[in-house]
């Protein structure tokens, strides 16, 4: 639990001996993925992924991801429960509740089947055109979702996928690759909650996956051009984009409240405004 993690961190920092009980917590095990240090903790009867800032990073990645996830939730995107935890030595961690586990009797946890979008894309890519895709796209992901069961949630999943694509463009989350999307199994695969949502502040102008006819270009017009693949008519897609433009207007306030450095808040706001301005200029 978090108390044990805090004790272990404190003893390591002070170069004190660590008893075997804590030493086992620090042993290498199966990775839960990603670049930054993380571990699994139990809190309030649930399992959470605790994510820490890396030593060699020059900024607070924990607060940035907390901000991105908080804004996503505010914009109507399904995200797991999150919590920003501060240890006594001022170290912070982002706690993300695991959505692929469920509590059972006796303090045990059951596994809810989960696969990444990459797995589905590689498998069903063969079914769509006979080959494993070398590049991935939101459009192909929408096509794959149509083949993967749970008909009753298909329309909602496709709309949610479009919403996430547009949101990622607006907040400059260019780390939206195929491993950062996933599916849970419930009488067929359905879209899992969004995770690893964070502004990259690189202003590269392209996403990790193809957006539309203009490849990976991070423009709202590019996203709108392929709305039919997500089961949306142009009018409905434009309305959704306008809603997201309005709701992401809260970015500066949400990011400041999350503890993001003011300078980075300003950069994120400028990038969003540039994307919105380019779109408005094109549509007026």
């Amino acid at each position: 639990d978090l108390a044990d993690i805090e004790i272990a961190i404190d003893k390591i920092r002070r170069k004190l001996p660590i008893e075997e009980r804590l030493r086992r917590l620090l042993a290498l095990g199966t990775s839960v993925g990603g670049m930054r240090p993380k571990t699994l903790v139990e809190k309030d009867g649930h399992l959470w992924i605790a994510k820490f800032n890396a030593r060699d990073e020059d900024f607070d990645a924990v607060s940035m991801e907390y901000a991105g996830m908080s804004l996503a939730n505010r914009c109507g995107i399904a995200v797991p429960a999150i919590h920003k935890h501060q240890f006594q030595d001022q170290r912070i961690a982002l706690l993300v509740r695991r959505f692929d586990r469920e509590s059972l009797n006796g303090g045990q946890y059951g596994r809810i089947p989960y696969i990444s979008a990459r797995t589905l894309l590689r498998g069903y890519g063969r079914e769509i055109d006979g080959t494993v895709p070398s590049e991935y796209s939101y459009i192909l992901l929408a096509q794959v979702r149509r083949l993967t069961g749970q008909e009753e949630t298909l329309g909602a999943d496709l709309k949610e996928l479009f919403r996430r694509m547009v949101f990622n463009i607006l907040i400059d989350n260019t780390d939206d690759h195929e491993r950062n999307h996933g599916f849970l199994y419930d009488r067929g695969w359905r879209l899992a909650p969004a995770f690893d949502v964070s502004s990259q502040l690189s202003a590269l102008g392209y996403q990790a996956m193809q957006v539309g006819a203009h490849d990976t270009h991070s423009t709202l017009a590019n996203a709108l051009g392929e709305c039919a693949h997500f089961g949306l008519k142009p009018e409905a897609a434009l309305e959704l984009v306008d809603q997201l433009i309005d709701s992401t207007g809260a970015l500066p306030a949400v990011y400041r409240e999350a503890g993001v450095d003011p300078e980075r808040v300003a950069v994120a706001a400028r990038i969003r405004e540039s994307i919105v301005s380019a779109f408005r200029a094109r549509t007026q």
Side-chain angles (χ1 to χ4, degrees):
D1 59 23
L2 282 169
D4 282 335
I5 296 297
E6 184 166 12
I7 291 170
I9 289 173
D10 181 61
K11 288 194 171 184
I12 290 173
R13 184 174 60 83
R14 295 162 59 192
K15 298 182 180 180
L16 296 175
I18 300 176
E19 56 265 37
E20 184 60 28
R21 180 180 67 86
L22 295 179
R23 189 178 298 277
R24 287 204 305 271
L25 292 177
L26 306 176
L28 290 177
T30 302
S31 172
V32 291
M35 296 175 59
R36 296 187 178 91
K38 57 179 64 70
T39 189
L40 298 179
V41 299
E42 189 175 30
K43 177 180 181 293
D44 301 331
H46 298 286
L47 291 179
W48 303 68
I49 297 175
K51 308 174 78 169
F52 301 86
N53 286 319
R55 289 182 179 179
D56 57 351
E57 284 183 316
D58 61 352
F59 76 104
D60 180 2
V62 165
S63 294
M64 183 64 79
E65 184 172 344
Y66 180 68
M69 297 279 281
S70 299
L71 185 60
N73 181 57
R74 184 174 178 136
C75 292
I77 293 171
V79 298
I82 56 174
H83 174 69
K84 188 176 175 183
H85 180 82
Q86 183 164 319
F87 294 100
Q88 292 181 2
D89 66 351
Q90 304 305 307
R91 186 187 300 267
I92 58 174
L94 174 65
L95 303 186
V96 182
R97 182 171 162 180
R98 292 198 67 159
F99 51 73
D100 61 340
R101 297 292 187 271
E102 58 182 346
S103 299
L104 303 176
N105 293 330
Q108 301 298 309
Y109 296 93
R111 181 187 296 270
I112 301 172
Y114 169 86
I115 55 176
S116 70
R118 177 184 174 89
T119 299
L120 277 185
L121 287 167
R122 289 177 65 83
Y124 282 90
R126 292 189 180 94
E127 187 169 333
I128 293 172
D129 62 13
T131 62
V132 174
S134 58
E135 296 183 357
Y136 300 97
S137 72
Y138 282 98
I139 299 168
L140 180 58
L141 191 52
Q143 290 177 312
V144 165
R145 175 58 187 88
R146 294 179 184 275
L147 300 172
T148 55
Q150 226 199 76
E151 193 67 28
E152 59 267 33
T153 64
L154 175 60
D157 277 359
L158 292 177
K159 185 176 181 180
E160 172 78 353
L161 189 58
F162 182 81
R163 188 194 310 273
R164 293 182 192 183
M165 175 175 66
V166 172
F167 179 80
N168 286 334
I169 291 172
L170 282 166
I171 72 161
D172 194 42
N173 177 27
T174 55
D175 193 36
D176 57 340
H177 55 76
E178 70 282 359
R179 288 191 180 92
N180 279 345
H181 302 276
F183 292 81
L184 295 169
Y185 191 83
D186 179 15
R187 294 172 292 117
W189 295 106
R190 59 182 174 85
L191 196 61
F195 58 92
D196 282 0
V197 178
S198 180
S199 297
Q200 304 303 305
L201 305 187
S202 55
L204 295 175
Y206 57 83
Q207 302 301 122
M209 298 204 304
Q210 182 182 345
V211 171
H214 296 285
D215 201 42
T216 60
H217 290 190
S218 302
T219 68
L220 299 178
N222 194 22
L224 271 171
E226 303 298 331
C227 64
H229 290 283
F230 302 89
L232 295 171
K233 294 183 178 180
E235 299 80 8
L238 180 58
E239 181 180 357
L240 185 53
V241 169
D242 284 335
Q243 289 173 358
L244 284 167
I245 288 174
D246 289 342
S247 53
T248 56
L251 183 151
V254 172
Y255 278 37
R256 282 194 298 268
E257 185 177 348
V260 177
D261 177 80
E263 197 171 309
R264 294 181 182 275
V265 174
V267 172
R270 283 199 302 270
I271 293 173
R272 176 195 165 277
E273 183 57 37
S274 175
I275 291 169
V276 172
S277 296
F279 176 66
R280 294 301 190 207
R282 184 186 179 98
T283 55
Q284 288 176 353

